[in-house]
Amino acid sequence: MVMKNYPSEFKAVAVALYQSRPGATIKQVAADLGVNPETLRNWIRAAGASRPRGHQADASARPAAPLEAENAALRKKIRELEEEREILRKAAKLFRPGDALVKRFRFVADYQRRHGVKRLCAILGVARSSYYYWRATASDRAARQAADARLAVRIRVVHRESDGTYGAPRITAELRESGERVNHKKVARVMRSIDLAGVRLRRGHRTTVADPATVKAPDLIGRDFTAAAVNTKYVGDITYLPLDGGKFLYLATVIDLASRRLAGWAIAGHMLIELVTDALAAAQRTRGSLTSAIMHTDHGSQYKSRAFAEACRSAGVRQSMGAIGSSADNALAESFNATFKRETLKGRKYRPGAHEARLDAFRWLHCYNIRRRHSRLGHRSPITYETATGTSSTTLAEAA
């Protein structure tokens, strides 16, 4: 079975996938995603999406008037894109580290008469409501900044009188004793803003401290990549999809050993711990509960992290790890990764861009669960197998 209630994100990506494949029919795209063709057609209509179709008449046979109108629209779009590029060029410095959001608000305020608030907020990726709130509270912020500046003067005096040894707690006590009503957190914040710090005497300590979350988990799989029932054993891993320019997208997976179903996955442009915890959370949403299930992985730093261990404990999952440096101990996940890259790259060394790569991954991962046949499952797809055995979940969770 496939899901009946589709989230808006799924609909949007499905429409984008349809637009990105001019040679495919609605029926073919719908089959890849496991949805009804009429359902996909309704999504496309609702989104107002269109694309060149193979069965349309040759462009030379079109009436001149529609062509002129189309050219005019294209010229207008080009002008808009050039203007947006110029706006982004001017605003490039706003995307550097620092208080970027405030800088973007200031940029909108400076250029709103020329380009309009709505357009500038859309280009810079900020909410108009947030911008208007920032503008409406300008006087309050100015008052707080003035108060912080006055407090900074007094903090500098106390800090200097202590020969630079006092930190926030002592400076707070000093100010309170002189009649200043102030919180130590505010003092600490103002001190950070003016680059002041006290002197701390630290006791000697070991530079390496054992983290309980990084202790090797037992191998509960033993290279037996089978399971008697679904939702009892899973394997997980991270793989990459190379992009043009030496960049990568990373995919974290959670695969059921009984049905080979991709129960959860997450794709991102980083390899932070959130990548693997998001994939585990997606699997939990798919199954409803992962209590007592085994999660087998390699010794990647993400899987040995405290955050992933806590996520497993929270989900009721038992962690399992193979031997260090042995790909055979996680062979099923390695095999899946190789198949994923082989079938999405199709002989190429990389994908030209992240957007195209995401669409390809989205299509392939859904197709893997819904249509791709497995010899071990009697040449049935994972969801077909689960449906036949009465264990299918009604949703496919993913975190993109």
Side-chain angles (χ1 to χ4, degrees):
M1 292 178 62
V2 296
M3 62 179 124
K4 301 299 182 182
N5 298 317
Y6 297 86
S8 58
E9 293 83 3
F10 182 97
K11 297 177 184 179
V13 178
V15 172
L17 179 62
Y18 163 77
Q19 291 179 297
S20 73
R21 302 175 65 199
T25 65
I26 289 179
K27 185 176 180 180
Q28 290 170 334
V29 177
D32 282 350
L33 298 181
V35 301
N36 187 285
E38 278 304 311
T39 300
L40 178 58
R41 193 186 308 277
N42 290 336
W43 295 346
I44 294 169
R45 288 172 180 165
S50 62
R51 67 175 188 183
R53 299 294 297 276
H55 63 270
Q56 289 181 328
D58 187 82
S60 61
R62 298 179 184 173
L67 283 176
E68 292 176 0
E70 184 177 339
N71 287 337
L74 288 173
R75 286 193 295 270
K76 180 181 178 182
K77 184 62 177 177
I78 290 172
R79 288 195 300 271
E80 290 176 351
L81 291 173
E82 288 177 344
E83 191 175 45
E84 289 182 7
R85 183 178 65 180
E86 181 62 18
I87 291 172
L88 288 173
R89 185 188 65 78
K90 294 178 180 178
K93 60 183 179 181
L94 307 181
F95 296 88
R96 297 170 184 165
D99 198 351
L101 187 60
V102 171
K103 292 178 181 177
R104 295 183 197 188
F105 288 157
R106 288 173 180 163
F107 187 88
V108 173
D110 292 340
Y111 290 90
Q112 62 176 327
R113 290 185 179 273
R114 182 182 305 178
H115 303 293
V117 172
K118 181 178 181 180
R119 189 177 185 193
L120 287 170
C121 287
I123 293 173
L124 297 180
V126 297
R128 276 187 291 163
S129 58
S130 299
Y131 165 72
Y132 285 124
Y133 176 81
W134 173 82
R135 195 172 68 178
T137 56
S139 58
D140 294 337
R141 283 197 308 278
R144 285 196 298 271
Q145 290 169 359
D148 285 353
R150 291 191 295 270
L151 178 60
V153 172
R154 293 191 287 275
I155 288 174
R156 287 185 185 277
V157 171
V158 176
H159 188 262
R160 185 173 57 250
E161 290 176 349
S162 71
D163 293 329
T165 61
Y166 277 9
R170 287 189 172 89
I171 290 180
T172 301
E174 194 78 20
L175 293 173
R176 285 177 176 174
E177 189 171 304
S178 64
E180 182 83 24
R181 299 182 60 184
V182 64
N183 185 282
H184 73 279
K185 293 181 180 179
K186 184 176 183 179
V187 171
R189 175 176 58 80
V190 173
M191 288 182 68
R192 286 194 299 271
S193 70
I194 59 177
D195 198 25
L196 281 186
V199 173
R200 292 184 178 182
L201 298 177
R202 297 180 175 89
R203 287 180 288 180
H205 60 277
R206 292 178 296 164
T207 57
T208 302
V209 179
D211 186 342
T214 65
V215 175
K216 179 183 180 298
D219 186 350
L220 305 178
I221 296 294
R223 298 189 182 182
D224 177 13
F225 299 108
T226 62
V230 301
N231 199 26
T232 57
K233 294 181 182 179
Y234 293 91
V235 292
D237 200 6
I238 300 175
T239 190
Y240 67 92
L241 195 61
L243 307 177
D244 190 12
K247 297 180 180 179
F248 299 90
L249 283 180
Y250 299 94
L251 171 69
T253 55
V254 179
I255 305 170
D256 193 307
L257 288 182
S259 65
R260 298 299 194 263
R261 180 175 182 173
L262 185 61
W265 59 278
I267 189 167
H270 60 76
M271 289 184 66
L272 301 178
I273 296 171
E274 288 79 7
L275 183 67
V276 295
T277 56
D278 285 349
L280 182 64
Q284 191 173 15
R285 291 194 299 272
T286 296
R287 296 308 192 190
S289 172
L290 298 176
T291 302
S292 298
I294 294 172
M295 182 64 191
H296 183 79
T297 67
D298 60 17
H299 285 258
S301 60
Q302 297 85 357
Y303 293 115
K304 292 172 65 178
S305 68
R306 186 189 301 271
F308 186 73
E310 181 56 36
C312 288
R313 282 193 292 271
S314 178
V317 171
R318 292 182 291 162
Q319 274 191 274
S320 170
M321 290 181 181
I324 296 176
S326 174
S327 61
D329 283 358
N330 203 19
L332 190 142
E334 296 282 353
S335 175
F336 174 91
N337 293 342
T339 302
F340 167 74
K341 284 190 283 189
R342 182 176 63 250
E343 296 187 7
T344 52
L345 288 173
K346 299 177 181 177
R348 291 166 294 187
K349 293 184 178 180
Y350 53 78
R351 301 295 292 174
H355 179 67
E356 182 181 350
R358 282 179 181 272
L359 287 178
D360 274 357
F362 179 86
R363 181 194 63 81
W364 191 90
L365 295 170
H366 279 274
C367 199
Y368 170 88
N369 273 339
I370 296 169
R371 297 181 60 189
R372 198 175 190 283
R373 299 179 184 274
H374 290 252
S375 57
R376 186 186 174 278
L377 305 178
H379 293 286
R380 291 174 289 184
S381 72
I383 287 184
T384 300
Y385 172 84
E386 290 190 1
T387 301
T389 56
T391 56
S392 177
S393 178
T394 58
T395 63
L396 169 64
E398 61 94 2

